[in-house]
C-alpha cells in the first residue's frame, strides 16, 4: 500500500463522515430541536429557564454511587 492509497482512504472516509453529518443536521426529526435552539438568544429569561429545565429532565441521570459513598471506577477511568 502506497502513501497515496492511504491519503485516498482518509479523504474518502472524511467525505463519508461529512455527508453523514450533513444528513443528520438536515433530517426532519432534528428540525424541531434545532429550531428551538435557534430561538434561544431571543427568549426571555423565563422562557430560557423553562427550556433548560426541560433539557435537564431529558438528560441522562448520573450514575449511582455504592453504599460507601464513593463512585466505583473501571480500569479505563470511567465510573460504573
Amino acid at each position: 500500500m502506497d502513501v497515496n492509497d492511504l491519503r485516498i482512504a482518509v479523504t474518502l472516509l472524511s467525505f463519508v463522515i461529512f455527508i453523514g453529518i450533513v444528513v443528520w443536521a438536515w433530517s426532519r426529526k432534528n428540525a424541531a430541536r434545532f429550531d428551538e435552539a435557534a430561538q434561544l438568544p431571543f427568549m426571555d429569561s423565563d422562557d430560557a429557564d423553562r427550556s433548560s429545565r426541560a433539557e435537564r429532565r431529558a438528560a441522562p441521570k448520573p450514575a449511582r454511587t455504592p453504599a460507601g459513598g464513593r463512585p466505583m471506577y473501571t480500569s479505563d477511568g470511567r465510573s460504573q
Side-chain angles (χ1 to χ4, degrees):
M1 181 146 110
D2 191 7
V3 172
N4 289 327
D5 293 336
L6 181 63
R7 289 178 180 166
I8 291 170
V10 169
T11 301
L12 289 175
L13 180 65
S14 299
F15 182 70
V16 168
I17 290 172
F18 174 76
I19 294 299
I21 291 171
V22 168
V23 167
W24 171 78
W26 287 92
S27 68
R28 291 187 190 269
K29 69 178 183 179
N30 290 325
R33 190 172 71 184
F34 291 150
D35 289 341
E36 181 182 352
Q39 295 301 317
L40 282 176
F42 306 111
M43 288 183 163
D44 292 336
S45 62
D46 294 335
D47 293 338
D49 290 340
R50 197 174 317 121
S51 177
S52 65
R53 279 194 300 264
E55 289 173 2
R56 280 194 300 260
R57 280 195 305 266
K61 295 185 178 169
R64 291 186 175 202
T65 56
R70 295 187 321 177
M72 296 172 30
Y73 293 96
T74 59
S75 61
D76 61 354
R78 295 184 300 165
S79 65
Q80 289 182 337

